[in-house]
Amino acid sequence: MTSRTSRSTTLSSVNRTMTPSSVFELTVTLGGGTAGLTIAARLTEDSATTVCVLEAGDANLNDPAILTPATYMQHFGDKLYDWNHFTTKQKFSGDREMHWARGRGLGGSSAINFMVWTKPPAEEIDDIERLGNPGWNWQNYQKYAQKVERLIEPTPQQKEKFNLPEYENDVSRDGAVAIGFPKTISEADVLAQKALENAGIPKAPRPYGGNPNGTFWTMNTHDPRTPSRSYATTAYYLPNKDRPNMVVFVRALVSRVLTEVGADGNLSAVGAEFIHDEKIYSVNAIKEVILAAGAIKSPQVLELSGIGQRAVLENAGIPVKLDLPTVGENLQEHCIGGFSFELKDGVDLETADPLRQPSKLAEAQELYKRGEGPFTIGMPTFTFVPVEQIAPQPQAIYEKAKAQVERVVKEGAAPGLLEQWKIQLERLEPGKNQAGPGCEIIFFSGMFGPIPPEEGKKYVCWSPGTNHNFSRGSIHVTSSDPRKEPDIDAHYFEHQVDLDIFIETSKFARKMAQMPPLKDLIAKEVVPGPEVKTDEQLADFMTKVYSTTWHTCGTCSMLPQDKGGVVDPSLKVYGTNNLRIVDLSILPLHFAGHTQATVYTFAEQAADIIKGVFKP
Ligand SMILES: Cc1cc2nc3c(=O)[nH]c(=O)nc-3n(C[C@H](O)[C@H](O)[C@H](O)COP(=O)(O)OP(=O)(O)OC[C@H]3O[C@@H](n4cnc5c(N)ncnc54)[C@H](O)[C@@H]3O)c2cc1C
């Protein structure tokens, strides 16, 4: 390790103190987040492999702001926890610049996420293999999920009261991340699930076994007995922190991967450069470098390293080492909105509203010390349905999507996009068995949205979400300065059909408030309110208030190179010998589901690939 500005500096890692003369024989993992810590923990199981993790944020160990469940959105804008990204002006959403939170610090986004545990439909993971990635299929997904999931059994009282299902064969008890049903499931969620049933939504047959189509009691990433968050730091770092072959540096902002041209003409990664306390350091990698900075920052670090689209690099004043035009492209998003309803006075349902009312917060904190109260209410009611289940004219939506794809392809779509869109059209086509459950309805017992709840009132919220959007965005650097944010352009609703599907999902979510038995407890809709009536008004409302679901993927897609790929199925960046990417950026086509389970699972599979023990 060398410090360019001060050779006498001693740099303390979280678990070791290293001097500038320390020598590593190692693999370097750039980013100590969800995937980064998973990889580091698995690779260092072999004592002959030394791994150095470089994380830009702080360690934030034993931090109640992270460990306490139900701290939804409280980290947003705080640089200790959140990168606080903003998109560029979104042309099809009234030029909104949208806030994109991302975990900064050990554990990455798993430290600040909403702890929802869902797994995608089996066919949608198999689609990744269909796109040209042997071994990336549902069978392996479930195999590696076994190493991730550690189910904490619900209590017999919980099972009886809520008729909680058994997931005997689909969820493991032996993995690293504690998952379980929330300690407190509000009676509001019980009523919401009945309302969904009354609206004709089936129970999902195997929500954790490849068929989440329908509604189901959803687990969260926490130990409900304590109750406290389980995330990459507690699951993968802390149990292994004393391994002499794992070194973790925090406040280490990676500025670039160091490369040399190998004898075969490919680039070889030989280390990484990072900034710590305003000083520039570099660390050598003898085996390989693994980029795990997440879907926003991994393409940025690649471009800062001279790997990316020539024009982008030249505009930013970065010398081109490898012209790889697809870096930062194929960005895909999930969108979410929210309808909030005030409950009638005197309705005695537990909601999370006190957490947003300053006068009630101290009381909630006291209750939490006893393992009770609103901090222990989780998010257990999720529903995934295909468009045809909720839209009155699904065929018209399908035809419109098809026509749109044909038009864009004729005009010249990026290589490989047609293959992705064909799969998306299959998922959308009505009457087909494989109809993908791309529309999501989330129930939340509490006000969930921009306006604070009124003191003393209680609320529930129905949120629509879309998971199979056709629009594609990009992330690119505009400067060679690693401290400058890249341009994030999601191209939200560039494909009109994305908005059409969102509107239909919204109408369905809103209608849920009229379903018994929950309906009888609702006083009125407060967001957006009854004045928003027509489709046009609804579209106007949704484009003003919708949010990212923080599931951005695809910016370093795993695909054949001529189909838009940045990494191959062994996760190596094309044109390099030993630079891999392991994080959500590699997911080439989005699915119906939240993403953390997939990031952990993919990282487990990646670890076996890197160890050389993976069998497709
Ligand atoms: C607010 C929020 C709520 C969410 N809710 C849920 C949910 O309820 N359920 C669910 O399944 N998913 C949820 N997600 C998504 C899920 O958490 C992420 O998809 C997943 O954690 C991403 O893992 P990753 O390894 O790709 O990136 P991350 O976990 O974000 O890790 C990237 C790491 O790299 C570090 N880094 C970045 N740049 C650099 C650099 N230049 N140098 C050094 N380090 C760097 C970051 O600080 C971070 O620690 C949520 C995400 C957010 C942000």
Side-chain angles (χ1 to χ4, degrees), residues 30-36 54-57 76 83 101-110 112-118 252-255 292-295 297 300-301 549-551 582-585 594-597 599:
L30 311 178
T34 316
L54 300 174
E55 164 55 42
F76 288 10
W83 283 92
R102 277 303 179 286
R104 180 188 164 101
L106 220 53
S109 297
S110 72
I112 66 162
N113 70 19
F114 295 180
M115 310 197 316
V116 176
W117 188 255
T118 73
L253 176 76
V254 173
S255 41
K297 302 297 257 180
Q300 181 195 19
V301 173
T549 320
W550 310 282
H551 295 165
V582 185
D583 56 33
L584 194 58
S585 70
H594 294 235
T595 44
Q596 64 171 335
V599 173

Side-chain angles (χ1 to χ4, degrees), residues 337-343 353 356 442-454 458-464 506 509-510 513 522-530 541-542 545:
F339 294 85
S340 290
F341 302 88
E342 187 184 307
L343 296 177
D353 297 308
R356 292 179 67 192
I442 302 170
F443 175 79
F444 182 66
S445 50
M447 163 88 84
F448 204 86
I451 60 166
E454 200 183 315
K458 290 185 171 186
Y459 302 84
V460 293
C461 176
W462 286 101
S463 289
S506 300
R510 193 183 207 186
I522 288 175
K524 60 177 178 192
E525 179 182 299
V526 286
V527 180
F541 164 70
M542 294 308 285
V545 302

Side-chain angles (χ1 to χ4, degrees), residues 161-162 184-192 341-354 374 377 443-446 456-461 517-522:
K161 183 169 177 206
F162 301 111
T184 306
I185 294 182
S186 168
E187 198 63 29
D189 282 276
V190 178
L191 300 178
F341 302 88
E342 187 184 307
L343 296 177
K344 288 178 181 162
D345 287 341
V347 169
D348 189 24
L349 293 178
E350 263 192 289
T351 71
D353 297 308
I377 298 179
F443 175 79
F444 182 66
S445 50
K457 298 279 186 196
K458 290 185 171 186
Y459 302 84
V460 293
C461 176
L518 204 55
K519 151 184 185 266
D520 304 328
L521 309 181
I522 288 175

Side-chain angles (χ1 to χ4, degrees), residues 561-578:
Q561 194 172 2
D562 62 346
K563 301 289 183 201
V566 173
V567 297
D568 68 18
S570 73
L571 306 181
K572 273 195 196 144
V573 175
Y574 288 109
T576 75
N577 290 318
N578 59 347

